[in-house]
């Protein structure tokens, strides 16, 4: 959809805000100072401020590479903070040593970056270890260099503390990631390219009934109200049902578009209501985007794992001197190798696995004992035909034949 | 780059810090006050930079300001309603803002009076200025006005705090 022109006037507010929240940028510095200066010189304050902003605009342009680096480092620091989880004690220790470096940086730049917390001692050590040349950068004191150095400092010390709420949120995200990873791992090991429905249902019920997840469930109900969708759709979407997921995302996007086109009324209630609704919609969409990302991530890994497993087993089968092959009514194949391994080839996905659960038993009771050349021929015919059918390269009739298996006169495959 | 990085301005970072401590009502007042001022300034700038009727209709008249707690967004041509005559600014603002190359050789087919159709040359890009990647109206306006709006943002924030301290409430 065409969107027109939309310019945010301040960049990086989000990463700056989260850096403040985690304490990488000192959260308490100089608010009062700003209040005083801006309040006192009331006559010139406006002009001064505008001039200062113009400077900042120019600085943003001049140092945009450094600022980008700084932002990346801050974000990275935020991520590692999540990983480590406990850096609060360390942060306190670092704070004392930080003043020296912030002062120095502050003198040279006279701007915001100086308020990033850093410990001069740690800077040196980190510089020696990994971030070589840091001391030199500091010494050369170009504004750009300082910003970069401060960025490194921020990255180095940015294992800041987490607030309780963030921790809880992270737990939920973590749980979701684990769930998807487990489900897809199971799928990959079972030679499936879809998630197990039973597993999904179990997870759905867990959200509904598990008292530890009551808050999550409550949030689901609220989200369902926000989107005007059935709550079950949301729960299904959250547990990996692709169709439900698409419905949710589409709906959220549509509502956000609509909201954007609605006039954001002036006046007390209209404006507040608009903001609130927008925030709710954004929240729901972000949440489900994250769920989708976790799911896609695990799914991609599952595909990778399945392909790799399949390739290894195929090689095993191809290298065998002889084998006993059974085929069930769905066309699934079970290949018993003289080494004792039993490889199972799913008729639908054409992927080889060691998981025999879905093999329905030999349909015709005939176990074909085949020699090495035949195995190779048959197995490769099977897989290549699957690939071809995907690409639609050969006439459909033949592919279907292979897929459903027509038993020829010799009891073999047609 | 038009935008000002929060990481490059002490004042902006300070406001971001301070926003965390403000209560919801104060923030609400802040947003409302700022929206009024910023929108006036933004429309003013757009109108000064728009020098054809087309530019005014498509880009200046549709100028809006969206204020969130952490940012201010200047928008133009993002209304999906069509103008009289059917032009949708949100879809067709491109050549108005950035210009378009003349295509004098372009032809159009016209139905003659009673006697079939014929083709003739007509340049569809005639109404537009020559291409300019920096834009003619919205982007120059934004470059001029952003520092001022940011200054307003900071001032409004400061005033909101002062008034909150004095116990005034216009919420």
């Amino acid at each position: 959809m065409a969107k027109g022109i939309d310019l945010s006037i301040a960049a990086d507010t989000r990463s700056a805000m989260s850096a403040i929240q985690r304490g990488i940028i000192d959260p308490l510095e100089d608010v009062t100072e700003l209040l005083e200066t801006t309040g006192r010189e009331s006559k010139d304050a406006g002009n001064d401020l505008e001039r200062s902003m113009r400077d900042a605009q120019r600085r943003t342009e001049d140092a945009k590479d450094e600022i980008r680096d700084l932002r990346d480092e801050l974000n990275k620091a935020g991520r590692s903070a999540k990983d480590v989880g406990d850096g609060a004690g360390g942060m306190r220790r670092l704070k004392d040593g930080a003043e020296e470096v912030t002062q120095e940086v502050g003198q040279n730049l006279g701007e915001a970056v100086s308020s990033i917390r850093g410990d001069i001692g740690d800077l040196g050590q980190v510089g020696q270890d990994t971030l070589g040349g840091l001391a030199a950068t500091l010494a050369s004191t170009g504004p750009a260099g300082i910003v970069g150095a401060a960025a490194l400092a921020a990255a180095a010390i940015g294992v800041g503390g987490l607030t309780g709420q963030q921790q809880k949120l992270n737990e939920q995200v973590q749980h979701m990631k684990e769930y998807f990873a487990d489900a897809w791992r199971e799928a990959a090991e079972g030679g499936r390219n879809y998630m197990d429905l039973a597993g999904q249902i179990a997870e759905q019920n867990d959200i509904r009934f598990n008292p530890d997840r009551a808050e999550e469930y409550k949030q689901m109900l609220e989200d369902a109200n926000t989107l005007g969708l059935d709550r079950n759709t949301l729960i299904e979407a959250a547990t990996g049902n692709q169709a439900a997921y698409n419905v949710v995302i589409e709906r959220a996007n549509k509502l956000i578009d609509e909201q954007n086109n609605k006039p954001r009324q002036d006046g007390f209630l209209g404006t507040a209501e608009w903001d609130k609704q927008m925030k709710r919609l954004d929240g729901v969409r972000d949440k489900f985007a994250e769920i989708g990302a976790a799911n896609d991530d695990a799914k991609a890994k599952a595909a990778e794992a399945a392909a790799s497993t399949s390739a290894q087993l195929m090689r095993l089968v191809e290298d065998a001197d002889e084998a006993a092959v059974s085929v069930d009514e769905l066309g699934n194949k079970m290949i018993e190798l003289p080494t004792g391994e039993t490889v199972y080839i799913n008729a639908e996905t054409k992927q080889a696995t060691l998981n025999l659960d879905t093999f329905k038993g030999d349909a015709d009771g005939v176990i074909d004992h085949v020699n090495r050349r035949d195995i190779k021929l048959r197995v490769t015919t099977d897989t290549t035909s699957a690939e071809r059918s995907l690409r639609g390269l050969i006439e459909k009739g033949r592919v279907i034949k292979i897929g459903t298996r027509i038993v020829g006169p010799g009891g073999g495959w047609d | 780059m038009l935008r000002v990085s929060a990481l490059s301005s002490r004042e902006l970072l300070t406001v971001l810090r301070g926003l965390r401590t403000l209560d919801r009502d104060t923030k609400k007042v802040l947003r409302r006050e700022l929206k009024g001022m910023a929108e006036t300034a933004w429309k003013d700038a757009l109108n000064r930079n728009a020098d054809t009727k087309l530019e005014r209709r498509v880009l200046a008249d549709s100028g809006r300001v969206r204020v969130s707690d952490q940012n201010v967004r200047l928008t133009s041509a993002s209304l999906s309603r069509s103008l009289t005559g059917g032009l949708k600014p949100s879809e067709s603002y491109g050549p108005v803002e950035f210009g378009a190359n003349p295509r004098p050789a372009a032809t159009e087919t016209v139905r003659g009076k009673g006697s079939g159709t014929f083709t003739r040359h007509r340049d569809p890009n005639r109404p537009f200025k020559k291409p300019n990647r920096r834009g003619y109206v919205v982007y120059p306006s934004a470059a001029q006005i952003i520092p001022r709006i940011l200054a307003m943002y900071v001032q409004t924030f400061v005033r909101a705090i002062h008034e909150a301290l004095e116990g005034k409430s216009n919420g």
Side-chain angles (χ1 to χ4, degrees):
Chain A
M1 186 187 156
K3 269 305 209 183
I5 301 173
D6 188 340
L7 305 162
S8 306
I9 64 173
D12 304 332
T13 47
R14 192 168 294 215
S15 73
M17 197 72 174
S18 73
I20 291 170
Q21 235 136 29
R22 284 191 305 271
I24 296 166
I25 295 178
D26 193 331
L28 296 175
E29 199 196 282
D30 69 13
V31 178
T32 44
E33 192 190 322
L34 178 84
L35 285 179
E36 274 171 25
T37 52
T38 318
R40 195 175 47 224
E41 308 153 24
S42 56
K43 204 174 161 195
D44 290 334
N47 289 333
D48 284 351
L49 202 51
E50 193 175 330
R51 204 171 311 126
S52 148
M53 286 300 168
R54 222 169 270 285
D55 285 347
Q57 193 180 26
R58 205 167 30 245
R59 257 193 322 259
T60 305
E61 175 64 32
D62 290 347
K64 62 183 169 199
D65 291 343
E66 284 78 13
I67 286 172
R68 198 187 50 228
D69 291 347
L70 175 61
R71 183 189 56 215
D72 291 350
E73 294 297 347
L74 285 175
N75 288 340
K76 212 184 291 168
R79 277 198 296 278
S80 58
K82 272 184 195 162
D83 293 342
V84 175
D86 174 37
M91 286 308 295
R92 257 196 304 282
R93 253 190 307 110
L94 290 175
K95 197 182 163 194
D96 302 334
E99 280 174 14
E100 202 175 333
V101 79
T102 50
Q103 262 171 18
E104 190 184 337
V105 175
Q107 270 167 9
N108 288 310
L109 259 186
E111 59 173 282
V113 178
S114 63
S115 55
I116 290 170
R117 291 174 166 183
D119 179 350
I120 192 79
D122 274 39
L123 272 181
Q125 203 181 346
V126 171
Q128 280 167 2
D129 290 346
T130 46
L131 314 170
L134 187 62
T137 318
L138 263 175
S140 73
T141 60
I146 290 289
V147 180
L152 295 177
I157 60 165
V159 282
L162 289 169
T163 66
Q165 195 174 7
Q166 273 173 321
Q167 216 153 19
K168 203 159 29 171
L169 215 79
N170 287 344
E171 265 169 31
Q172 278 186 15
V173 171
Q174 196 55 34
H175 177 90
M176 214 164 62
K177 280 185 180 157
E178 273 168 23
Y179 160 70
F180 281 120
D182 282 351
W184 280 110
R185 179 180 180 161
E186 214 172 283
E189 284 172 358
R192 284 179 281 117
N193 57 3
Y194 52 88
M195 271 168 89
D196 187 22
L197 188 59
Q200 286 184 30
I201 291 172
E203 178 73 6
Q204 287 159 16
N205 284 335
D206 198 44
I207 294 178
R208 286 193 191 99
F209 296 117
N210 189 342
D212 291 342
R213 301 178 74 178
E215 220 164 291
E216 212 178 326
Y217 181 61
K218 207 174 120 206
Q219 188 62 42
M220 284 282 178
L221 301 190
E222 268 173 39
D223 293 349
N225 274 337
T226 308
L227 296 181
L229 286 173
D230 182 40
R231 67 181 73 160
N232 287 342
T233 312
L234 266 85
I235 293 178
E236 281 164 28
T239 52
N241 182 323
Q242 196 63 39
Y245 179 77
N246 291 343
V247 169
V248 170
I249 287 289
E250 233 166 71
R251 180 83 179 182
N253 282 334
K254 192 173 148 240
L255 288 179
I256 286 174
D257 272 349
E258 278 176 16
Q259 185 77 3
N260 267 327
N261 289 327
K262 236 185 258 173
R264 186 172 172 284
Q265 282 172 21
D266 274 329
F268 190 81
L269 280 173
T271 311
E273 198 43 50
W274 195 96
D275 286 343
K276 223 190 272 174
Q277 180 66 6
M278 198 65 186
K279 202 172 161 193
R280 273 199 293 259
L281 288 169
D282 270 345
V284 178
R285 183 169 68 173
D286 287 353
K287 177 172 139 194
F288 275 91
E290 195 153 359
I291 291 174
N295 187 9
D296 288 347
D297 205 31
K299 190 175 175 181
K301 274 189 198 152
E304 208 176 282
S308 156
T309 312
S310 181
Q312 289 175 47
L313 291 174
M314 284 298 186
R315 265 203 302 281
L316 190 70
V317 171
E318 284 171 19
D319 289 347
D321 284 330
E322 54 173 341
V325 180
S326 318
V327 183
D328 73 3
E329 70 261 36
L330 298 172
N332 301 323
K333 280 188 199 97
M334 190 174 83
I335 301 169
E336 284 172 77
L337 300 174
T339 48
E341 273 109 348
T342 309
V343 177
Y344 168 81
I345 301 178
N346 188 309
E348 205 179 313
T349 61
K350 302 293 180 204
Q351 282 193 324
T353 65
L354 291 169
N355 185 322
L356 291 169
D357 290 351
T358 47
F359 190 71
K360 297 279 186 289
D362 192 359
D364 53 9
V366 179
I367 297 177
D368 301 311
H369 287 275
V370 286
N371 63 25
R372 181 176 186 157
R373 201 171 51 97
D374 281 350
I375 300 172
K376 188 155 189 172
L377 188 68
R378 290 179 186 184
V379 170
T380 43
T381 313
D382 236 31
T383 46
T384 48
S385 74
E387 280 164 21
R388 277 191 204 140
S389 77
L390 277 177
R391 294 176 195 145
L393 284 180
I394 60 166
E395 62 274 43
K396 281 199 172 114
R398 204 171 142 208
V399 178
I400 290 166
K401 258 192 213 164
I402 293 169
T404 55
R405 179 173 178 261
I406 291 187
V407 181
W413 305 331
D414 197 353
Chain B
M1 193 195 264
L2 309 162
R3 308 194 297 168
V4 176
S5 171
L7 304 172
S8 75
S9 160
R10 175 177 287 274
E11 288 88 352
L12 270 183
L13 264 188
T14 308
V15 172
L16 289 180
R17 280 191 193 101
L19 277 173
R20 300 195 321 143
T21 56
L22 289 189
D23 65 319
R24 281 173 55 194
D25 288 335
T26 315
K27 279 193 213 167
K28 200 162 29 183
V29 174
L30 198 163
R31 283 199 302 266
R32 200 172 62 215
E33 296 264 313
L34 184 59
K35 170 137 204 273
M37 285 195 296
E39 192 149 291
T40 318
W42 175 229
K43 285 188 164 168
D44 216 43
L46 284 172
N47 273 316
R48 252 183 292 120
N49 280 288
D51 46 31
T52 67
K53 200 170 169 185
L54 181 69
E55 285 173 352
R56 267 196 300 282
R57 283 284 150 75
V58 175
L59 300 172
D61 292 352
S62 61
R64 297 285 185 277
V65 172
R66 298 205 174 117
V67 183
S68 70
D69 276 351
Q70 289 169 31
N71 216 334
V72 179
R73 280 154 62 207
L74 307 174
T75 69
S76 169
S78 32
L79 311 171
S80 58
R81 181 177 297 179
S82 305
L83 302 178
T84 330
L87 179 88
K88 253 191 179 175
S90 65
E91 286 169 1
S92 315
Y93 68 87
V96 184
E97 171 69 9
F98 299 108
N101 274 314
R103 289 167 52 209
T107 56
E108 67 175 3
T109 309
V110 195
R111 193 185 296 258
K113 250 187 195 168
S115 56
T117 59
F118 58 92
T119 57
R120 68 182 179 198
H121 291 298
R122 181 178 163 277
D123 184 352
N125 289 346
R126 194 73 193 277
F128 306 123
K129 296 175 175 175
K130 69 179 190 331
N132 174 3
R133 298 178 71 181
R134 285 159 186 271
Y136 281 104
V137 181
V138 179
Y139 284 83
S141 305
Q144 291 160 17
I145 206 78
I146 279 177
R148 187 169 315 149
I149 291 183
L150 279 175
M152 287 175 189
Y153 180 55
V154 177
Q155 278 174 309
T156 317
F157 165 79
V158 169
R159 215 178 58 213
I161 291 188
H162 277 305
E163 287 179 4
L165 288 177
E166 284 163 19
K168 269 191 203 167
S169 161
N170 23 356

